[in-house]
Amino acid sequence: MKSDIEIAQACQMRNIEEIAGKVGIKEEYLEKYGNYKAKVDLKIFDELKEQDDANLILVTAINPTSAGEGKSTTTVGLVEALNQQGHFTIGCIREPSLGPVFGIKGGAAGGGYSQVVPMEDINLHFTGDMHAIGIANALIAAMIDNHIHQGNELNIDINNIIWKRCVDMNDRSLRQVTIGQGSKANGVEREDGFNITVASEVMAILCLSTSMADFKARIARIIVAYTIDGQPVTVQQLKAVGAVAMIMKDALKPNLVQTLEGNGMFVHGGPFANIAHGCNSLMATKLALKLGDYVVTEAGFGADLGSEKFMDIKSRIGNLKPKCVVIVATIRALKMHGGQAKEELKEENIDALLKGVANLEKHIETVNEYGLPYVVALNNFVFDTKKEKDAIFNWARDNEVTMVESDVWARGGQGGAELADAVVSACQENKELQFIYDLNDSFNTKVNKIATKCYGARKVILTEEAEKTLDLLKKLDLDMLPICMAKTPASLTDDPKILGRPENFDITIRELRVSNGAGFIVALTGSVMTMPGLPKVPAAERMDVLEDGRIVGLF
C-alpha cells in the first residue's frame, strides 16, 4: 500500500494556468509560484461581484481521536466526486502549520487518493504566508519593546503587555520566556511568551478580512497592551499598521492549487480550531463562491469547535449561507468513544461501536441547532467489518439519520459518489442558517449557549482571573463581541480524557483574551495551550530528503 506522499509524487500535475482556466480565473489575475501553485489578485472581485453565490457545503466531524477521521480527505474526495458527476465544484481548505507537520497530527492536505498537490509544498513553506504572518507578528512585538526602550511615550505597563511573539513550530519551551536580559542596550527586561503562528491574531485577521482596507482597519484595532492607567494600547498607536500591511500584501491573496484529479482548490489561511476559529480565509471562500456551482470547505476538528465558529463567527462576518453540513465519522473512532483501546481497534466490537455512537448523536444535534440539513459520511477503514457496518447503518436507519459510506481515501472521487448524491439532495432543502446566539446577548449568555447547545454541558464557570478580565472588557465596551472558545478537540468537555458523550459536566473558562482586530473574545478552557509541544516521538524523526531531492517520510 502506497503512502500518501508516494501517491502524491506519482501524480501528473497540470500547470496552474490550466487549473485557473478550468475554474474561470483569467491569467491577468494569476501570480504564479512555479508551475503548480499561484496566488490570485484580489482585483478579481471587482469583475465577479455581480455573480450569484454557489451552494456552500461545510465538512465537520465527530470529536477526533488518535485513530483518525479523515475530514480533510473527505473534503477533497467530495470535491472530486461532485466534479465527476458534472457539478462544477471548488474546494477551500486551510494551510497546514509546520508544528503539527513535524509533531503528531500531520498535515492538512487530504490523504490517499483524495489529496491536494503539490503535497510537499503545501505542507512545508508553500507560498510563504506563514512566514509573513510570523514576521508581521514579530514586527508588532519589536515595536512594542522598542517604544518602551525609547522612552515609553504611551505609558505602557510592562506588566500588562498582552501581545505575544510567535513561531510556527510546536515548542513548549517558549511558552514563558524572559526578554531584554543583560545591559540596558538590550531593552527593558520583562516576562513574555510565544504562541504558535496559527494562534496569532494576525492569522485570524487574515482569515476574516474581506479586503486590504478591511485588513488594515482590523490590524489597527489590535490591543497589544494596557497603560499604567488601564487604557488599551493599539497597533494604530504604535504606528505599525502600514508596515504590517506591506508585509502581508501578498499573503492576503488566496492560493490556488489542484487535487489529484485536476480540480481547483484554494488553500489559504490556517488558524487552529481548538485555540482559534479554525476556518480557511473568508476571501478564498468568497472567491470560490463566485466561481463555482458548489463549494466544499471544512472547519477544524468536530462540530463542537470549528463548525460552531464557522457558523457563529465566519458566516456571521462574511454573510455566508451554508446549504448543507457533512459530519465525518469512522467506525474506529466511534469504538474509541465507546471505550475500546486504540491498540484493539482492529478487533470487531459491536458493543463499543454502538456505545460510541452517542458522540455522533451529539454532533448531529449540534448541527440541527443551526437549522441546516446534514449528511453523515462514514469514512471507510480497511479493518471495518461487515457486522460493524451493518450495526451502524441499522442504527442510522432506526434513528432516521442520513448516513452514507465514503471510500474516497482508496478510490478518490469514485469512492464519494453516494456522498455527492446525498449532499446535492440536502442542498436542495434550501434551509436558512440559525445562529446559536445573538450578538446582543451578554458574554455569559453567549458562552452558556455554546456550552449547553454544542457541548451538552450544564453551565459555564469563570475563574476569578477570567471574571476580572470580563469586568475590564465591560468597562472598555468590548464584552459584546462574538466568542471564540478555546477547548480540547478530543472531548465534548474541557478534559481531553473524557470521550463519548458525557453528561452533568461544567465548562471552566480560566482566561479571556480579547482579539479586537479579529473581532472576538477568546475564552480559554481547561488546559488548552496556544503553544503546543512535540510528542515523545516527533514525526520529524522519520523525514528526510534524498540525493535526487525527493522528500520521504512526510506522511
Side-chain angles (χ1 to χ4, degrees):
M1 185 181 296
K2 290 183 177 181
S3 66
D4 288 352
I5 192 169
E6 289 172 333
I7 293 170
Q9 289 172 341
C11 171
Q12 295 296 314
M13 289 184 285
R14 297 163 172 83
N15 283 339
I16 197 64
E17 296 98 330
E18 181 181 343
I19 301 300
K22 186 175 181 179
V23 301
I25 297 173
K26 295 178 182 177
E27 193 166 348
E28 64 189 272
Y29 299 119
L30 210 61
E31 300 177 7
K32 293 185 290 182
Y33 282 60
N35 294 325
Y36 307 115
K37 53 187 187 283
K39 282 188 169 291
V40 182
D41 195 308
L42 299 181
K43 293 176 183 175
I44 194 173
F45 281 104
D46 293 333
E47 182 176 300
L48 298 174
K49 59 186 177 182
E50 301 301 326
Q51 292 282 350
D52 292 335
D53 282 350
N55 294 290
L56 180 59
I57 301 154
L58 174 68
V59 180
T60 184
I62 61 174
N63 286 107
T65 69
S66 53
E69 282 61 58
K71 178 159 52 61
S72 296
T73 302
T74 302
T75 301
V76 178
L78 181 55
V79 171
E80 310 283 49
L82 286 166
N83 275 297
Q84 281 190 12
Q85 295 184 0
H87 305 291
F88 177 28
T89 305
I90 302 172
C92 295
I93 62 174
R94 294 171 296 160
E95 297 180 52
S97 163
L98 288 175
V101 167
F102 293 117
I104 192 171
K105 181 179 178 292
Y113 288 91
S114 291
Q115 290 191 60
V116 185
V117 287
M119 184 260 240
E120 301 101 311
D121 292 5
I122 294 168
N123 281 298
L124 296 174
H125 300 290
F126 201 22
T127 57
D129 293 346
M130 291 291 183
H131 169 76
I133 293 165
I135 292 298
N137 190 106
L139 174 65
I140 294 170
M143 290 189 74
I144 294 168
D145 287 297
N146 183 64
H147 181 89
I148 295 168
H149 178 70
Q150 302 293 352
N152 199 6
E153 182 182 344
L154 292 172
N155 203 23
I156 294 171
D157 181 353
I158 66 167
N159 296 312
N160 204 358
I161 297 171
I162 60 175
W163 188 257
K164 293 182 180 291
R165 287 165 160 83
C166 74
V167 64
D168 193 31
M169 185 54 57
N170 291 1
D171 193 349
R172 62 175 59 84
S173 299
L174 295 177
R175 288 172 185 162
Q176 290 180 293
V177 299
T178 302
I179 63 171
Q181 292 180 319
S183 68
K184 289 184 178 180
N186 296 335
V188 176
E189 184 173 328
R190 67 178 181 88
E191 291 184 0
D192 200 354
F194 280 72
N195 292 325
I196 192 166
T197 298
V198 288
S200 169
E201 188 173 354
V202 179
M203 170 64 88
I205 290 173
L206 164 74
C207 288
L208 292 172
S209 297
T210 57
S211 65
M212 173 58 85
D214 184 32
F215 176 81
K216 291 171 72 173
R218 289 174 179 275
I219 290 291
R221 294 198 300 266
I222 293 174
I223 297 173
V224 298
Y226 292 92
T227 66
I228 296 293
D229 299 328
Q231 295 303 305
V233 178
T234 66
V235 172
Q236 177 75 52
Q237 291 172 279
L238 290 173
K239 302 177 183 177
V241 176
V244 169
M246 181 182 67
I247 292 169
M248 293 292 294
K249 70 180 182 65
D250 291 323
L252 282 174
K253 301 168 185 175
N255 304 302
L256 178 68
V257 285
Q258 63 190 283
T259 66
L260 290 178
E261 297 180 16
N263 293 306
M265 181 75 68
F266 289 112
V267 180
H268 193 220
F272 285 170
N274 59 333
I275 54 180
H277 73 281
C279 308
N280 73 285
S281 79
L282 185 56
M283 283 189 282
T285 304
K286 281 185 165 291
L287 178 53
L289 287 169
K290 294 299 183 184
L291 294 170
D293 296 326
Y294 288 86
V295 172
V296 183
T297 190
E298 67 172 7
F301 299 121
D304 57 327
L305 280 174
S307 177
E308 184 271 316
K309 296 166 189 176
F310 180 92
M311 304 297 184
D312 288 314
I313 296 176
K314 180 176 178 177
S315 292
R316 199 190 302 259
I317 290 172
N319 193 30
L320 301 180
K321 302 182 186 302
K323 294 292 185 69
C324 169
V325 178
V326 176
I327 307 171
V328 180
T330 65
I331 286 174
R332 289 155 42 103
L334 291 173
K335 289 194 293 186
M336 280 194 74
H337 278 293
Q340 189 170 13
K342 182 181 179 181
E343 55 271 16
E344 298 173 357
L345 289 177
K346 294 180 182 178
E347 300 175 13
E348 186 175 271
N349 192 329
I350 307 297
D351 290 341
L353 171 62
L354 294 179
K355 183 179 178 183
V357 161
N359 185 268
L360 171 59
E361 283 183 310
K362 180 66 197 80
H363 290 289
I364 291 172
E365 290 174 13
T366 297
V367 172
N368 283 334
E369 289 282 355
Y370 292 98
L372 297 175
Y374 69 88
V375 177
V376 176
L378 187 70
N379 192 16
N380 267 340
F381 276 79
V382 66
F383 294 107
D384 298 343
T385 71
K386 183 179 184 304
K387 286 184 179 180
E388 288 172 336
K389 288 182 181 180
D390 288 344
I392 189 69
F393 278 101
N394 286 339
W395 169 85
R397 184 185 62 250
D398 293 344
N399 289 275
E400 299 182 341
V401 169
T402 302
M403 179 183 288
V404 298
E405 199 168 344
S406 175
D407 198 20
V408 295
W409 186 91
R411 298 172 56 213
Q414 287 186 341
E418 188 179 359
L419 176 59
D421 288 338
V423 164
V424 170
S425 177
C427 287
Q428 291 171 353
E429 294 184 34
N430 223 15
K431 293 186 177 178
E432 291 290 327
L433 169 62
Q434 301 166 14
F435 298 117
I436 283 284
Y437 56 80
D438 189 275
L439 281 180
N440 292 322
D441 288 340
S442 68
F443 172 86
N444 285 310
T445 298
K446 288 187 179 89
V447 294
N448 274 283
K449 283 183 177 180
I450 293 170
T452 56
K453 293 183 178 184
C454 294
Y455 311 159
R458 289 180 303 196
K459 64 180 183 301
V460 170
I461 298 170
L462 272 66
T463 63
E464 184 176 346
E465 180 185 352
E467 289 280 11
K468 287 181 180 178
T469 305
L470 181 58
D471 288 341
L472 173 62
L473 295 180
K474 288 178 179 178
K475 291 177 183 176
L476 298 173
D477 291 325
L478 295 173
D479 60 305
M480 300 300 285
L481 294 171
I483 308 299
C484 181
M485 296 291 278
K487 181 182 77 69
T488 175
S491 173
L492 290 165
T493 74
D494 53 18
D495 182 346
K497 296 179 181 179
I498 302 177
L499 303 185
R501 182 178 182 173
E503 297 178 347
N504 301 317
F505 65 92
D506 298 327
I507 296 290
T508 299
I509 295 176
R510 74 172 197 273
E511 182 183 348
L512 297 178
R513 299 178 183 176
V514 62
S515 293
N516 195 41
F520 52 65
I521 299 169
V522 180
L524 287 92
T525 71
S527 58
V528 68
M529 295 287 183
T530 53
M531 169 54 84
L534 290 172
K536 185 174 183 179
V537 183
E541 294 182 7
R542 304 188 297 271
M543 299 174 184
D544 201 358
V545 180
L546 305 182
E547 285 296 320
D548 62 1
R550 188 162 49 92
I551 291 174
V552 294
L554 186 66
F555 322 123

